[in-house]
Amino acid sequence: MRKNVKVVGIGQRKMGTSAKTGRSYDFTPVAVVFPDEGFTGYRAATINMQTADVMHNNVQKDAELDMVFHYYNGNITVDAIL
């Protein structure tokens, strides 16, 4: 799905190693709003984005991004920021 999203907030960076799986993680929660057919007005969501993607794409509060994403297990996964 491709949408224009507006960044309304950026959370604290979270990094470490999972005690359960032993795999490392490094992500930043990003709050966005975007138009959605199932909602009147805008839909709000929090996306856990890889920190490298946040830095590389210069994601900042109030930025408008052209984003490609999909839903997986009820969460949004970013495929690309155009």
Side-chain angles (χ1 to χ4, degrees):
M1 169 181 319
R2 182 175 177 179
K3 298 273 186 184
N4 288 322
V5 303
K6 180 174 182 178
V7 177
V8 293
I10 299 176
Q12 292 288 337
R13 179 181 186 180
K14 299 180 190 257
M15 55 190 288
T17 303
S18 170
K20 186 175 180 180
T21 65
R23 292 195 279 180
S24 63
Y25 58 86
D26 185 4
F27 66 90
T28 302
V30 178
V32 298
V33 294
F34 55 92
D36 190 298
E37 299 80 33
F39 289 78
T40 301
Y42 292 93
R43 180 176 184 168
T46 300
I47 303 170
N48 290 330
M49 295 180 64
Q50 296 295 315
T51 300
D53 291 339
V54 172
M55 289 187 225
H56 177 72
N57 292 293
N58 200 24
V59 175
Q60 297 179 18
K61 186 178 172 293
D62 295 325
E64 296 204 16
L65 306 171
D66 186 6
M67 188 178 287
V68 179
F69 58 87
H70 67 275
Y71 294 97
Y72 180 74
N73 285 341
N75 295 313
I76 294 177
T77 300
V78 176
D79 299 311
I81 298 175
L82 308 173

